[in-house]
Amino acid sequence: MSEAQLVRYETHNDVGVIIVDNPPVNALSPGVDDGILAHLATANADPVITSVVLIGAGRSFIAGADIRQFGKRPPRPPAEQRAHVLIEQSKKPIVAAIHGFALGGGLERAMSCHYRIAVPSAKVGLPEVLIGILPGSAGTQRLPRLAGPKCALEMIVSGRHVPAVEAKGYGILDEVLAEGADLKAEAIVYARKIAGKAFRKVSENNEKLQEARDEPGMFDAMRKSIARRARNQKAPYNCILAVEAACNLPFMQGVEREHELFAELENADEAKSLRYAFFAERECAKIPDLPAGVKPRDINTAAVIGAGTMGGGIAMSFADYGIPVKVLEVSQEALDRGIARIKHNYQVSVQRGSLAQDEMERRFARITPVLNYEDIADADVAIEVVFEELPVKQPVFDKLGKIMKPGALLLSNTSAIDIDAIGEPAHRPGDIAGAHFFSPANVMKLLEVVKGDNTTTSAETLVTTMALGRKIGKLSVVAGNTDGFVANRSRAPFNSEMVILLEDGCLPAQVDKVMIDFGYPMGPFAVGDLAGLDISAAGRRRRLAANPNYRTLPIADKLVEMGRFGQKTGAGWYRYEKGDRTPHVDPEVTTLIETMSAEMGKTRREFTDDEILRRLLFSSVNEACKILEEGKAYRASDIDVMWLHGFGFPRYRGGLMFWADGIGVRDVYNQIASWHQQYGERWAPSALLRELAESGTPLREAKPKSYP
Ligand code: T1G
């Protein structure tokens, strides 16, 4: 799009209005800044014009630099020719009129203006750290001068989007308009008000920097507070250094220091991984083989069958996003227990201060406990969340098929079982799909939307379930109907390999340390204890029943036989003190592992951290390729989104397939092929992986042979 098309200019008598029009979010793509500056020059040269408005067309102000341009942007112009400098040096005052989002370079452009007004629903922020960089157009220098160093530090290091009213409180915005106000008209009035008056440049507001001199320890305090979550990362620390520079250097020297710190990050693996994750999370919403014209149905009411831990969490997800939900249980006692758990979870959030009491009451009031199927018949969607056994699930669908209104969406929260088989008794062709939430369902962002065969899941049901996920704040990702679907199936080899490593010479704490150092919040054995070893044992029994060649895990089975189910029994792979979730190494388990591995005729040996890491993750990379080969996922990046949001894969590594690409598809294939020779069938390489290795095609670009 030419400059002229990207940015328009209008005059309203004595006010010039510069309109950025680069859908969908007015990113600062090539030509946008030049367009703004060209029209600003026109306004400054026009004797009639006394002030200027900068505004975005469509649904938003400017949402930042064009992220697709990173790594291929032209060299930066000298300081005096940069957009943020030239905008601020305008002879006539400029007011930024903000709606939707003013993020990154967008907020930086707004802070280069002399005034900022916004509609109440607007959000502002400098989220660059979320894509592994830092604000690169003087955002780290102007925000501390506008909101004070402490507030700037919090906003820039967290990258959070700040609502307009809160931003006004920090001094970032000069005015927040009334609900429903006409932003452009109000901005023109505001511009007329400031015309002819002296106006300040934010770069000259040094008073607020005094806060840092009064409290010099704030920077180290921030470093300390992020140490755990920002380990292995550089961007958050460079953000702190840049704000520190703002408080110790004159403005333009601070701008140069900001750029040095930015340049260290722009093309680093951390930034590339986070950019990949950003676009992968947007790509997963797209269904490539969707027939034209298929639209999602409206879902305004919901019903959840089963008030257990998952059922309660799913009901909260609906209530949290304003959708009234009925919770059905077979007995009053089970219903009361489920509703009490929901209430408790909400009260914990209120006590933690992450939820206001009145908002808690509004949400809880949207949840209605019921005992009869007739009470849910008019819901737009019903989600079955009963025990993970086919013979338990099918009668529920039989009932739903008889009771629910025509066109109701019938979903199952199964995490692995054949969705065609589950839905068959409902005799509602096309209206059924899997909606696999992750625990805790009201917290985890991932929703695995399982597409059955065409008689089970119609295109309309698929897009409706995907849209429903987004409506309740989830990242919806499509999975084909296969045992364990995409998420758990790709994870299953990892879960086996971690136990097989114990047979070969490792110990749980050693493996957990490797994965924590890699960036996981918890090690896989500690996660096992949290989720319950009896649950994973049930999954293994189901897989063995389905496939007699399934590789059993005697050590894991032995723990369950001993009643060591994990945290809930005070002992699992680790032992736990009463009321404490800290895992403690248990010598009894160490002895059991060494004894059983000897009984299995294994010679225990030393393992490097790197071999442990690769044995675990390569096993899943191989399975992920088999999933794509079988057409059970639309794209490799969808699998990465699942690992980021379902299994806590460290975001700054991009995802499972993106990380493996960092090692190189050939090396990954060669290693797996050699383990196939060494360890047998479970390491049989995927044919797709071999093809990718032969052609040198990155894993993240792996294309499935067919679609789910
Ligand atoms: N660049 C390029 N494309 C972008 C984009 C961006 N900044 N933001 C969004 N898109 C695309 C996105 O890929 C999707 O495309 C469509 O817009 C809708 O997005 C110098 C260096 C604004 C809160 O980090 O957080 O400025 O999939 O689905 O849910 O200091 O997009 O439809 O083809 O996300 O309503 C800083 C990133 C950049 C903001 C809207 N800015 N964007 O959310 O829509 S770095 C950001 C967002 C920077 C300066 C530095 C969100 C949103 P498609 P969407 P949404």
Side-chain angles (χ1 to χ4, degrees), residues 14-67:
D14 53 354
V15 175
V17 179
I18 300 172
I19 303 160
V20 177
D21 190 359
N22 181 24
V25 293
N26 293 330
L28 294 165
S29 308
V32 172
D33 267 335
D34 297 341
I36 293 171
L37 295 174
H39 294 308
L40 187 57
T42 306
N44 275 307
D46 182 342
V48 174
I49 299 298
T50 56
S51 55
V52 179
V53 170
L54 176 62
I55 192 167
R59 67 184 181 119
S60 185
F61 187 71
I62 300 166
D66 186 336
I67 302 173

Side-chain angles (χ1 to χ4, degrees), residues 174-185:
D174 298 285
E175 189 173 317
V176 175
L177 304 175
E179 271 311 333
D182 175 334
L183 178 63
K184 194 160 114 184

Side-chain angles (χ1 to χ4, degrees), residues 285-508:
K286 298 168 186 160
I287 300 173
D289 59 346
L290 191 66
V294 175
K295 295 256 174 305
R297 294 176 210 158
D298 279 342
I299 302 287
N300 299 310
T301 57
V304 173
I305 296 99
T309 309
M310 285 304 287
I314 294 170
M316 290 172 76
S317 299
F318 284 110
D320 292 354
Y321 282 83
I323 299 177
V325 55
K326 292 180 178 168
V327 178
L328 173 73
E329 255 297 355
V330 287
S331 72
Q332 191 63 52
E333 191 224 341
L335 194 54
D336 295 346
R337 206 171 38 244
I339 298 298
R341 186 185 300 112
I342 292 173
K343 192 164 192 177
H344 171 74
N345 290 341
Y346 274 135
Q347 281 161 343
V348 169
S349 302
V350 172
Q351 280 146 19
R352 285 202 191 125
S354 58
L355 184 64
Q357 180 64 34
D358 59 348
E359 178 54 24
M360 180 266 188
E361 284 155 16
R362 268 193 295 278
R363 293 181 186 191
F364 191 59
R366 293 189 190 110
I367 300 175
T368 309
V370 296
L371 282 172
N372 304 308
Y373 273 89
E374 288 68 28
D375 298 329
I376 66 166
D378 62 351
D380 296 329
V381 58
I383 302 190
E384 162 275 310
V385 196
V386 301
F387 196 66
E388 189 71 346
E389 293 289 348
L390 187 60
V392 180
K393 291 181 182 294
Q394 288 185 316
V396 174
F397 276 78
D398 173 58
K399 196 84 180 177
L400 291 174
K402 292 190 173 73
I403 290 282
M404 298 303 292
K405 68 179 182 186
L409 207 57
L410 306 184
L411 305 178
S412 170
N413 178 56
T414 177
S415 64
I417 301 174
D418 177 349
I419 195 69
D420 295 331
I422 290 175
E424 195 279 326
H427 304 297
R428 292 276 183 120
D431 291 345
I432 291 158
H436 175 207
F437 289 75
F438 287 71
S439 182
N442 59 313
V443 176
M444 297 294 276
K445 264 182 82 65
L446 181 61
L447 180 68
E448 187 175 30
V449 175
V450 183
K451 183 178 180 305
D453 65 25
N454 292 337
T455 59
T456 301
T457 310
S458 68
E460 189 186 65
T461 292
L462 186 63
V463 290
T464 305
T465 312
M466 293 285 282
L468 177 61
R470 285 193 296 278
K471 190 169 183 176
I472 59 174
K474 305 297 182 193
L475 267 171
S476 303
V477 189
V478 175
N481 189 21
T482 176
D483 186 20
F485 311 131
V486 172
N488 284 344
R489 180 177 159 185
S490 63
R491 174 79 180 193
F494 178 115
N495 295 341
S496 298
E497 209 57 31
M498 67 190 239
V499 180
I500 296 170
L501 280 168
L502 302 183
E503 298 169 6
D504 296 347
C506 295
L507 290 171

